[in-house]
Amino acid sequence: MARRLPPLNSLKVFEAAARHLSFTRAAEELFVTQAAVSHQIKTLEEFLGLKLFRRRNRSLLLTEEGQGYFSDLKDIFTSIGEATDKLLERTEKGALTISLPPSFAIQWLVPRLADFNREEPDIDVRIKAVDLEEGSLTDDVDVAIYYGKGHWPELRCDLLYQEFLIPLCAPNVLLGEKPLATLHDLSQHVLLHDTSRQHWKQFAKQNGIEGVNVNHGPIFSHTTMVLQAAIHGQGIALGNNVLAQPEMEAGRLVAPFDEVVMTPNAFYVVCDEKQADMGRIATFRDWMIRTARREQEEVLDE
């Protein structure tokens, strides 16, 4: 059954007149004549079948019904105004808040921000590093980078990078006293773990490695900490292909083996589905997707 709504323009006029308790001031606010205000109020009263205002000694008062109606409507108009302001702020040029894991911010986004700033100098990016995502964006976040399987209802999710993990170590580890020529030599080295020991367990099982104790070695809460520990020669890390790339390109970490382990996880750029194609949110999304695809194509061409 369709809702029976009163004339929306009459509602807007009523809200202004009730707020000011003056047809004249309502007319000035709405840039119409006082006669037009009176006409809209009459239209609304006829639709409702009751009086909303009464005049007394040159003053304008709300009837009991009018007061109750105004109390309900003013909150609705406030909410509409706030929602409109929020939408416009997010779609116009200006600040853009990005929420993402600290490791991805440090290893990937921050080094590339200068490229985005050159392309879009009118958009100021605010970086908000967060450890965990809850599957929904807070009001102060425009775009986020999520790590997972890509299933977040009511969010636009675009794949950036599929994850695979690479054994990595500092160059001097390869020259040390303990050999690292085969996968079985991992048994003589400390294994560095990111969040849990699950990845090294998966790597050992996938490659049929025996005699390697994957239940020992320090556990770090952030990927950058694991990479730093490996850079300082503290052990062998399973590095994320994206997050470890800067350290590999700089020669601070090397891959002693060709074997990798694929995971079901990936990095996604996400935003509210309704805002995905609007203004600066769309601009930033498109830039991230283009950058990620270009870099992956360059790797494949090498």
Side-chain angles (χ1 to χ4, degrees):
M1 180 177 177
R3 294 177 180 175
R4 188 177 178 219
L5 295 176
L8 298 183
N9 194 44
S10 295
L11 285 182
K12 181 176 69 172
V13 172
F14 167 72
E15 190 276 336
R19 178 161 33 86
H20 292 297
L21 287 177
S22 169
F23 285 4
T24 301
R25 294 178 62 185
E28 292 173 352
E29 177 182 314
L30 300 173
F31 300 101
V32 297
T33 64
Q34 184 177 343
V37 171
S38 297
H39 175 73
Q40 290 295 335
I41 296 301
K42 182 179 179 182
T43 299
L44 182 59
E45 289 178 334
E46 290 176 350
F47 177 88
L48 297 172
L50 50 84
K51 288 291 184 180
L52 298 173
F53 292 96
R54 66 174 181 267
R55 295 183 180 275
R56 179 178 295 174
N57 298 328
R58 295 186 179 180
S59 64
L60 187 67
L61 300 176
L62 285 162
T63 64
E64 183 178 349
E65 294 82 3
Q67 182 63 56
Y69 201 36
F70 173 62
S71 295
D72 291 334
L73 286 178
K74 67 179 181 180
D75 293 335
I76 295 172
F77 274 88
T78 298
S79 297
I80 292 173
E82 292 175 349
T84 302
D85 289 342
K86 184 191 300 183
L87 177 63
L88 293 176
E89 287 174 2
R90 288 190 169 190
T91 55
E92 293 173 356
K93 297 289 186 179
L96 187 76
T97 300
I98 314 300
S99 173
L100 69 171
S103 296
F104 194 92
I106 295 169
Q107 298 294 105
W108 194 91
L109 180 57
V110 172
R112 292 164 176 78
L113 265 184
D115 294 336
F116 179 76
N117 292 335
R118 278 192 292 270
E119 288 188 26
E120 302 293 337
D122 294 328
I123 300 178
D124 294 324
V125 176
R126 297 174 182 171
I127 306 300
K128 180 180 180 182
V130 293
D131 290 328
L132 298 173
E133 55 80 19
E134 301 297 334
S136 61
L137 298 180
T138 57
D139 288 342
D140 61 336
V141 172
D142 299 297
V143 181
I145 304 301
Y146 281 178
Y147 169 79
K149 297 179 175 62
H151 305 302
W152 298 285
E154 299 182 6
L155 294 177
R156 174 77 65 86
C157 305
D158 292 289
L159 176 67
L160 290 178
Y161 293 96
Q162 188 67 46
E163 180 184 56
F164 60 88
L165 303 173
I166 316 163
L168 297 170
C169 65
N172 60 6
V173 171
L174 293 178
L175 304 175
E177 297 178 356
K178 298 178 181 179
L180 198 57
T182 70
L183 291 176
H184 295 284
D185 292 334
L186 289 170
S187 61
Q188 302 182 56
H189 293 265
V190 175
L191 302 184
L192 306 175
H193 302 273
D194 186 348
T195 307
S196 73
R197 305 187 194 281
Q198 187 59 40
H199 287 150
W200 269 117
K201 290 179 180 179
Q202 183 180 351
F203 183 85
K205 180 179 180 180
Q206 178 177 302
N207 291 284
I209 307 172
E210 298 180 356
V212 177
N213 191 344
V214 295
N215 292 312
H216 284 275
I219 299 176
F220 300 88
S221 62
H222 290 99
T223 299
T224 49
M225 297 166 67
V226 179
L227 297 177
Q228 285 299 310
I231 288 170
H232 290 285
Q234 297 175 16
I236 314 300
L238 271 179
N240 176 284
N241 55 302
V242 178
L243 304 183
Q245 191 64 32
E247 315 304 338
M248 297 174 66
E249 291 178 350
R252 292 185 288 268
L253 289 175
V254 295
F257 313 114
D258 293 330
E259 287 80 2
V260 301
V261 58
M262 301 297 296
T263 82
N265 297 318
F267 289 107
Y268 294 84
V269 55
V270 306
C271 67
D272 189 301
E273 181 68 53
K274 298 176 182 177
Q275 299 178 355
D277 300 316
M278 293 183 176
R280 54 203 173 95
I281 292 177
T283 298
F284 189 80
R285 284 181 56 257
D286 291 345
W287 172 79
M288 288 207 72
I289 295 169
R290 280 190 289 108
T291 301
R293 288 178 179 172
R294 184 183 68 247
E295 292 181 355
Q296 292 173 83
E297 289 173 357
E298 291 173 354
V299 171
L300 292 175
D301 290 340
E302 292 179 355

